[in-house]
Amino acid sequence: YKATIALVGSSHSEQWFGALHEAVKGTDIRLINLTRSGTRFSTGYEPDSLKGTWNQNVLDYLKDADVDLIISHVTAADASKDRIHQQMIDQMQFVKDEYGIEGLALRDNPRYDFNVLEALETSSIEDTTKKMNAQDNQTDEAFWKNFEKTNKSLYKMDLTRYFHVKGEYRPVIGNVVIYRDNSHMTNTYAKSFGPLFKEKINEVLSEKLGEK
C-alpha cells in the first residue's frame, strides 16, 4: 500500500466506515479501524478511566504506526458545551503536531431525541419528517463555523447538507433510509458518501505524499 488511513473515535466515527471502504476500494490505500462505541477521540476523559485508557492506547499506537491520515468526528451535534467539541479537536491537533499525521475533521451528522427508524416504521414518512424538523438537531453549528474559519491546520468535511432536501430534514432521501436509530446512519446511506471521501482523501494524500 502507498498510504494508510485510520478511522478513529466513537460510533459516530465508525458509522463512516462504509463510506471510507467504498472510497479506498480498488486502490492501494490501507484502511484501519480504531473505534470504541461511546468513546470520543478526545482529551476530555480522566486518564485512569476506561475511556481515557483507550484514548492513550490509540495515541501510543499512532505514535509509531505507519499512518498518514486519521479521520474522526470533532463535534457532537447534541452537545450543549463547546468544550466537548474542542477536546476532540485538541486530540486530533495533538496527533498532527506531535506525530506529523494529517487529520481530517468531520462535522457530526444531525441527532435526534427519538428513534427515527422506529418512528418511520410505526407512523409515516410525513409524521417522522415533521418530528425531525421540530427539533434543534445541530447544536454544533456556531462552533463548527468558527472552527472552519480559525483552524488552518486540519482538513475538514461538513456533510450535513446531505441530510436534508431544500432545508427539510428527512428520514428517507433518494429512496434510502437515513437513520438506524436516533443518530447513527444506516450503512447503505453511509456508503453513498464514498465518492466524496475518495475525492477528499486523494486531495489530502497527494499533498502529504508530495512532500516526502
Side-chain angles (χ1 to χ4, degrees), residues 136-195:
D136 181 7
N137 58 13
Q138 290 182 282
T139 59
D140 62 340
E141 187 164 359
F143 183 92
W144 178 265
K145 287 182 177 179
N146 183 65
F147 168 60
E148 283 187 313
K149 292 179 182 178
T150 59
N151 184 289
K152 306 301 181 183
S153 179
L154 301 173
Y155 292 91
K156 305 166 188 69
M157 283 188 79
D158 177 1
L159 299 170
T160 57
R161 65 186 180 278
Y162 297 105
F163 287 81
H164 57 77
V165 178
K166 296 180 180 179
E168 180 181 68
Y169 294 92
R170 297 181 183 179
V172 178
I173 298 176
N175 207 32
V176 177
V177 175
I178 308 303
Y179 287 91
R180 57 184 171 86
D181 52 26
N182 67 315
S183 63
H184 298 94
M185 281 180 292
T186 62
N187 191 52
T188 303
Y189 198 61
K191 288 168 68 175
S192 70
F193 289 95

Side-chain angles (χ1 to χ4, degrees), residues 91 95 158:
Q91 192 76 303
V95 172
D158 177 1

Side-chain angles (χ1 to χ4, degrees), residues 73-126:
H73 74 100
V74 298
T75 67
D78 60 348
S80 59
K81 297 179 180 178
D82 287 351
R83 62 176 173 79
I84 292 176
H85 314 308
Q86 189 61 53
Q87 288 164 349
M88 288 187 277
I89 291 170
D90 290 345
Q91 192 76 303
M92 182 175 277
Q93 191 68 57
F94 175 85
V95 172
K96 160 79 181 203
D97 295 342
E98 297 298 320
Y99 305 160
I101 300 174
E102 298 293 341
L104 175 54
L106 305 179
R107 185 182 177 189
D108 196 19
N109 58 285
R111 302 193 194 192
Y112 300 91
D113 64 6
F114 67 97
N115 189 314
V116 178
L117 181 59
E118 185 179 76
L120 185 61
E121 293 180 340
T122 57
S123 58
S124 66
I125 290 179
E126 292 75 14

Side-chain angles (χ1 to χ4, degrees), residues 9-10 36 38-42 45 54-55 73 76 84 87-88:
S10 72
R36 184 178 191 268
T39 307
R40 297 182 292 269
F41 190 51
S42 167
Y45 299 117
W54 177 84
N55 266 270
H73 74 100
I84 292 176
Q87 288 164 349
M88 288 187 277

